[in-house]
Amino acid sequence: MIKTWSIFVVLLLPLFDLAFQVMVVEVTDPIKYIYTYTGTMAIILLFTATSLSLIKNKINLIIHRRMIGLFAFFYAFLHFCNFYVFDAELDVDFVVKESLDKPFVYLGMISFSILIFMAVTSTRKLYRKFNKYHRFIYLVLILITIHFVMAQKALSIAQWVYLLLIIIIICFKIKQRKDLISKY
Ligand code: HEM
C-alpha cells in the first residue's frame, strides 16, 4: 500500500528541484524556465489525477486523486504567479494586453479559474454539494491542451508525444464515460 506521505514528498520534490535550478544553477531565462516547469508539472498531474480511474483495476490510487489534483492546482498557481508577479511585474495593463495579444493566455486564465473552483470545492463537505461540477475537468483538460500547443512556436518530438498521450487519455475517458452512461 503506497503511503500518502510518500506521494506527498514525491509531488513536492519538483518544487525543490525548480528552486535549485533557478537559484543555484541559475538557468539563462528563469521566467521561461518556470513557465515550462510549472506548466508541464500541472498538466502532467491533471492528466494523472484524471487517469487514475482508468487504471484502478490494475493499481488503485484513487484515494490519492484529491492530493494529486491539489498539487496540479498548486503548480498551476505557481505558473500563474510567474506570469503575474515575475513576467507582468504586477502590472494589470500588461496582463490585459498580453491576454488580448496571446489568446492562449486567456485559455490558461479560464482553466485556472475553473481549477480554483475545483480546489475550493474539493473539501469533503463542499465536494458532496458541488461534485457534479467537477466534470468541468474535461473542459479544463481540452483548454489546457490547446493552451500548451498554442504556447509553442513549434512542437518538439517530446511535445508531440505528450499530445498523443493526452489525446489517448481523453479518448479513454470519453469511452469510460459512455460505458458508464450506457450501463444505467
Ligand atoms: C493562470 C493562467 C495562465 C497563464 C497566464 C499562463 C501563461 C502561460 C504562458 C505565458 C506560457 C508561455 C511561456 C513561454 O513559452 O514563454 C504558458 C505555457 C504553458 N502553460 Fe500556461 N498559463 C496559465 C495557466 C495554465 C494552466 C492552468 C496550465 C496547466 C494545468 C498551464 C500549462 C502550460 C504549459 C504546459 C505550457 C507550455 C510550457 C512549455 O512547453 O514551455 N498553463 N502559460
Side-chain angles (χ1 to χ4, degrees), residues 32 35-36 39 42 79-80 83 104 108-109 112 144 147 152 159:
K32 166 82 181 126
Y35 271 133
T36 303
H79 187 79
F80 170 71
F83 174 74
F104 78 85
M109 293 274 187
F112 187 58
I144 281 304
H147 171 80
Q152 318 303 323
Q159 284 155 343

Side-chain angles (χ1 to χ4, degrees), residues 12-30 33-34 37-38 75 78:
L12 206 54
L13 283 178
L15 178 67
F16 294 110
D17 178 45
L18 176 62
F20 178 77
Q21 297 296 335
V22 171
M23 290 193 256
V24 181
V25 179
E26 292 183 357
V27 288
T28 42
D29 181 349
Y33 187 83
I34 297 170
Y37 205 113
T38 54
Y75 285 109
L78 293 182

